[in-house]
Amino acid sequence: MKFNYLKFEKKERIGILTFTRPDALNALNENVFKELSDFLDADFTQSIRVLVLTGAGKAFVAGADIKAFQTYSSQNAYEFAELGKLLFDRIANLDIPVIAAINGFALGGGLELALACDIRIASERTKLGLPEVNLGLIPGFNGTQRLSRQIGAGNAMYIMMQGEGISALEAYQLGVVQKLVPPGEVLSSAIQLAEKIASKSPRSLSLIKEMVGKGMEMSLKDAGEMESRAFGNLFKEDQKERIEGVTAFLEKRQPNWE
Ligand code: CO8
């Protein structure tokens, strides 16, 4: 696939998708979304175990393209917000783990994109935030919801209302990101984590994603019941990965998930 604003590479079982619009700090516009949609349409998950998202240059993604806002009608803005939500949901719902390697600014729609990933690793020098209050706007790609679910309403309001963006350290302390690393080591650390995850049972990984994702929208009781059913299903006779995992443990060898 040939893109102008995205680059996709494979390192064995790891896929790396880079946003490559560095002159605009990788800001998201309709062209970027069109390419992201085409990328997600392609059946790339068959050939990789983990996807890493990152940005070219000094930003991960600095948000939606503010310059494009000048021409938007109310309907355009609504449709763009819906398109972003749809694409970010597709990323969140991939049945493989997705890691955001936050190499630089993750602001507005950029942080919303990172929040659609399963795990976030960030440069300890970068800044993250939802600065829409400075523009007379609100987050529009589900940031109000995903951030509140991730770190609680009070912490999310703190980030959204002061609007200046927070340091990577503060983002780590609040639980927005799971790991901080020195600048320059973000992608390599993300790939290292991706490789570790890629060595685990793909079935377990996709089920963990499904349980956590669906469970967030359910009562604890219903989510617990869903988990028990999924756990029970893993003991059906055709569940090769459970058979391999348990057998490998008993035979004191590494499991082979192929
Ligand atoms: N959109 C368009 N262009 C951008 C954006 C952006 N979000 N961010 C940076 N750029 C451009 C700059 O305009 C500049 O371009 P040019 O050289 O042509 O002037 C270039 O990128 C480099 O940026 P700076 O010179 O500003 O770089 P600095 O290092 O000085 O500053 C910052 C970096 C602090 C990241 C600064 O660029 C900034 O504040 N950017 C805007 C961040 C922001 O407010 N993001 C939120 C946008 S709103 C949003 O994301 C809402 C999402 C929901 C949308 C719903 C549908 C409508």
Side-chain angles (χ1 to χ4, degrees):
M1 260 182 293
K2 184 90 186 86
F3 296 117
N4 292 313
Y5 307 111
L6 297 177
K7 185 175 83 180
F8 181 62
E9 323 157 71
K10 269 199 298 187
K11 279 193 191 311
E12 296 177 10
R13 301 178 295 186
I14 314 302
I16 304 159
L17 182 69
T18 308
F19 287 76
T20 56
R21 201 187 166 216
D23 293 349
L25 304 191
N26 304 320
L28 304 167
N29 63 14
E30 284 170 17
N31 295 329
V32 178
F33 274 178
K34 168 79 181 72
E35 291 193 355
L36 185 57
S37 175
D38 290 346
F39 171 74
L40 291 167
D41 285 343
D43 205 4
F44 69 94
T45 55
Q46 298 303 311
S47 59
I48 58 171
R49 292 268 182 89
V50 180
L51 177 65
V52 175
L53 299 193
T54 194
K58 68 177 181 182
F60 174 70
V61 169
D65 192 320
I66 301 171
K67 290 176 187 162
F69 288 172
Q70 295 175 97
T71 58
Y72 275 10
S73 66
S74 169
Q75 182 63 24
N76 292 149
Y78 169 78
E79 285 171 8
F80 192 57
E82 284 289 291
L83 178 61
K85 283 187 174 76
L86 179 84
L87 293 171
F88 292 5
D89 280 352
R90 287 181 70 185
I91 291 171
N93 294 331
L94 287 172
D95 67 356
I96 56 170
V98 185
I99 300 173
I102 304 175
N103 51 302
F105 297 112
L107 298 169
L111 180 57
E112 293 174 299
L113 173 65
L115 288 167
C117 301
D118 302 313
I119 299 170
R120 284 152 292 284
I121 294 183
S123 156
E124 55 199 15
R125 295 250 184 86
T126 198
K127 206 163 122 177
L128 302 93
L130 292 172
E132 286 83 354
V133 286
N134 301 312
L135 301 166
L137 294 172
I138 60 169
F141 299 143
N142 249 344
T144 56
Q145 305 312 306
R146 281 214 168 92
L147 189 60
S148 307
R149 283 165 167 77
Q150 182 77 32
I151 60 172
N155 288 329
M157 299 260 198
Y158 164 70
I159 292 174
M160 286 187 270
M161 289 183 171
Q162 52 91 6
E164 295 299 318
I166 57 172
S167 68
L169 179 60
E170 203 175 0
Y172 173 70
Q173 287 163 341
L174 289 173
V176 181
V177 301
Q178 283 64 56
K179 190 174 180 187
L180 289 186
V181 294
E185 290 179 23
V186 180
L187 186 57
S188 57
S189 297
I191 292 172
Q192 210 178 8
L193 175 64
E195 278 166 354
K196 186 191 281 188
I197 292 173
S199 72
K200 309 299 178 190
S201 156
R203 180 87 184 112
S204 300
L205 295 170
S206 77
L207 267 177
I208 286 170
K209 275 195 76 156
E210 189 183 331
M211 295 301 113
V212 175
K214 285 188 179 160
M216 295 270 234
E217 294 173 18
M218 297 166 76
S219 71
L220 184 60
K221 185 169 180 296
D222 290 347
E225 169 60 23
M226 171 180 73
E227 185 194 73
S228 297
R229 255 184 280 117
F231 193 87
N233 285 340
L234 288 171
F235 282 77
K236 288 186 176 167
E237 283 175 11
D238 62 348
Q239 293 298 306
K240 295 198 180 92
E241 290 184 24
R242 186 262 311 158
I243 295 167
E244 170 62 10
V246 174
T247 307
F249 176 82
L250 295 173
E251 292 177 354
K252 300 189 188 303
R253 62 170 174 82
Q254 288 301 311
N256 175 9
W257 309 118
E258 300 309 330

